[in-house]
Amino acid sequence: MDESYLEWLRSLLGFSEAKARAVAERFPTFEHLRHATASELASVLGLTPADVETLSRTPRSVTGRDEAGHLFLC
């Protein structure tokens, strides 16, 4: 498992080590996570609706920038 990906997941508001690992097991790369639907995210055991919302805001653009144009670093 990519430690930098896990570190990024743990840095998200409300994400513990257990939640980060659960997400990484279901979506092993950032690319997998980036393409996940809200219902796929909600299927991860232990995630709350707020966690799903946090993950749903993950930038979908391949440019590495969010909707506002801010640079996204993972």
Side-chain angles (χ1 to χ4, degrees):
M1 194 170 294
D2 183 345
E3 286 301 315
S4 62
Y5 178 50
L6 271 176
E7 184 179 335
W8 175 75
L9 286 168
R10 284 190 305 263
S11 76
L12 297 174
L13 183 63
F15 276 72
S16 64
E17 177 74 23
K19 283 183 185 182
R21 286 196 178 275
V23 170
E25 286 173 8
R26 174 67 174 86
F27 306 103
T29 68
F30 179 72
E31 283 303 306
H32 287 106
L33 180 64
R34 193 169 71 86
H35 293 290
T37 65
S39 61
E40 290 171 329
L41 295 170
S43 74
V44 177
L45 189 62
L47 292 188
T48 67
D51 298 331
V52 171
E53 175 63 27
T54 296
L55 292 172
S56 293
R57 290 192 307 257
T58 302
R60 306 292 184 211
S61 167
V62 295
T63 66
R65 295 183 181 275
D66 65 13
E67 294 82 23
H70 299 107
L71 184 62
F72 176 78
L73 300 174
C74 178

